[in-house]
């Protein structure tokens, strides 16, 4: 029972930290990103993350599979963004973590740091809170070897 309570508290805390405040989103300096892959799939996964963070929801959708473009219109993608911001805060930085390779697709995992302003318990003073979440992008190739985004979501 205690384990479930701790998990619930940590889950709620993570959600609460995602939504709040305005700031500039930073990425690690290029010299610190030298170990990142040069694959087309990686570049598309980074592009969709940057577009999502910058609220360019139309560009987020442009490399999705046709089926997913129909399922996820601009409004749905915008709603996902608003929910994340409401629960965790405003994105302030991101970094590439890893690539998971499967037979027919690849998954790219990113870490996003969020900032929000809240009131400190007891004193009521405003305080900055930070939290992190994982963002995954699933890529695949068509029969004509075209790279497509199969989906993306927060873990």
């Amino acid at each position: 029972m205690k384990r479930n309570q701790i998990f619930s508290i940590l889950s709620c805390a993570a959600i609460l930290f995602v939504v709040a405040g305005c700031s500039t989103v930073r990425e690690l300096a290029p010299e610190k990103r030298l170990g990142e892959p040069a694959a087309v799939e990686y570049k598309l996964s980074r592009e969709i993350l940057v577009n999502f963070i910058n609220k360019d929801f139309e560009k987020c959708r442009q490399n999705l599979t046709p089926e997913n473009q129909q399922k996820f219109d601009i409004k749905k993608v915008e709603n996902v963004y608003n929910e994340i911001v409401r629960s965790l805060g405003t994105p302030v930085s991101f970094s590439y973590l890893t690539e998971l390779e499967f037979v027919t697709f690849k998954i790219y995992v990113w870490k996003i740091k969020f900032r929000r302003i809240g009131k400190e318990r007891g004193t009521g003073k405003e305080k900055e809170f930070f939290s992190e979440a994982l963002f995954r992008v699933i890529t695949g190739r068509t029969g004509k070897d075209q790279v497509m985004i199969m989906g993306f979501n927060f873990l």
Side-chain angles (χ1 to χ4, degrees):
M1 182 170 138
K2 205 168 196 164
R3 177 189 262 170
N4 289 338
Q5 288 175 333
I6 292 171
F7 180 75
S8 295
I9 290 169
L10 290 175
S11 297
C12 290
I15 290 170
L16 290 174
F17 283 112
V18 172
V19 185
C22 293
S23 67
T24 303
V25 178
R26 296 173 301 141
E27 184 179 18
L28 290 175
E31 60 274 7
K32 292 187 179 181
R33 295 187 284 130
L34 292 177
E36 294 179 9
V40 173
E41 292 91 341
Y42 165 80
K43 290 175 183 172
L44 278 179
S45 76
R46 184 183 180 286
E47 185 179 306
I48 199 166
L49 171 61
V50 169
N51 290 330
F52 184 79
I53 287 173
N54 289 331
K55 299 191 264 186
D56 192 342
F57 306 123
E58 182 56 45
K59 282 188 180 176
C60 277
R61 297 177 61 253
Q62 83 184 27
N63 290 310
L64 287 175
T65 61
E67 300 83 23
N68 283 331
Q69 281 185 356
Q70 289 177 347
K71 282 186 206 175
F72 299 105
D73 61 10
I74 292 175
K75 193 67 177 165
K76 283 187 182 180
V77 177
E78 184 177 4
N79 287 341
V80 169
Y81 177 86
N82 290 334
E83 281 300 312
I84 292 298
V85 169
R86 189 173 13 268
S87 61
L88 294 176
T90 303
V92 292
S93 66
F94 66 92
S95 61
Y96 171 74
L97 292 181
T98 193
E99 169 192 334
L100 304 173
E101 191 168 344
F102 292 87
V103 175
T104 56
F105 56 91
K106 293 181 181 180
I107 298 174
Y108 291 87
V109 182
W110 299 82
K111 178 176 70 171
I112 304 175
K113 188 171 192 171
F114 297 90
R115 174 187 164 266
R116 67 181 297 210
I117 303 293
K119 300 227 178 203
E120 198 172 62
R121 205 180 287 187
T123 65
K125 292 181 182 177
E126 281 194 352
K127 183 178 178 181
E128 265 187 328
F129 294 96
F130 292 94
S131 60
E132 297 175 328
L134 298 177
F135 184 78
R136 92 175 157 176
V137 180
I138 304 164
T139 64
R141 290 186 178 258
T142 65
K144 297 177 182 175
D145 209 34
Q146 179 186 5
V147 177
M148 302 289 288
I149 302 292
M150 310 299 281
F152 61 93
N153 65 320
F154 283 88
L155 302 174

